[in-house]
Amino acid sequence: MIWAYGIMGLILALLWWQNDTLQDELKEQHALNKIAIEANDRWEAEVSKLNSEFAKGLEALSELKSKKEVERVYVKEVSSKTDSCIDAINAVYERLQYQRGDNNTSASPSTKDTKATISTK
């Protein structure tokens, strides 16, 4: 009977030691999980930022496409209304000057001289 108490004591000591080892492993695992959660949060923030920037880029591309389409339609209209390619080029040149900030829609003297020079050639 005494050796039964000895065996039970040995089993309890082994369980106690096993419990301490498992507690240490649990603390390690908890620390690793905390690090993984923080890394995951950083990745989520970065992906969210990239998605936002991607959406802005798509909007910018859409705006550029619509502006390009407007200009294509303008050039097509000008070239169908004019008799020559030179007139269409001059109209597009005037449009570019207008867009650049020179809001004077009438041609400047140098533009008129250029038209006259091109037309005579």
Side-chain angles (χ1 to χ4, degrees):
M1 179 130 169
I2 290 183
W3 58 274
Y5 287 126
I7 291 176
M8 284 177 48
L10 184 61
I11 290 173
L12 284 175
L14 220 143
L15 288 174
W16 187 278
W17 176 77
Q18 192 72 4
N19 186 31
D20 286 342
T21 304
L22 290 174
Q23 289 290 337
D24 292 340
E25 286 181 24
L26 188 62
K27 287 178 184 176
E28 273 184 49
Q29 192 63 42
H30 181 70
L32 291 174
N33 286 344
K34 190 174 180 181
I35 291 170
I37 289 170
E38 290 172 359
N40 190 31
D41 289 343
R42 284 193 301 263
W43 276 105
E44 285 179 0
E46 191 65 28
V47 166
S48 175
K49 180 181 170 185
L50 289 173
N51 281 339
S52 172
E53 290 177 5
F54 184 73
K56 288 178 185 177
L58 287 177
E59 288 175 12
L61 286 175
S62 177
E63 288 176 15
L64 286 174
K65 183 180 178 184
S66 65
K67 286 180 182 179
K68 183 179 176 182
E69 183 65 23
V70 167
E71 292 305 316
R72 188 188 65 77
V73 169
Y74 174 77
V75 170
K76 190 174 182 180
E77 287 175 3
V78 167
S79 56
S80 66
K81 291 179 184 178
T82 58
D83 292 333
S84 70
C85 184
I86 301 297
D87 292 334
I89 291 171
N90 285 332
V92 171
Y93 178 73
E94 287 177 19
R95 172 78 172 207
L96 290 173
Q97 281 184 326
Y98 177 78
Q99 287 179 344
R100 196 176 61 196
D102 184 16
N103 293 340
N104 183 9
T105 56
S106 65
S108 64
S110 63
T111 308
K112 289 180 182 177
D113 292 342
T114 306
K115 284 182 184 177
T117 305
I118 292 174
S119 297
T120 57
K121 288 185 177 180

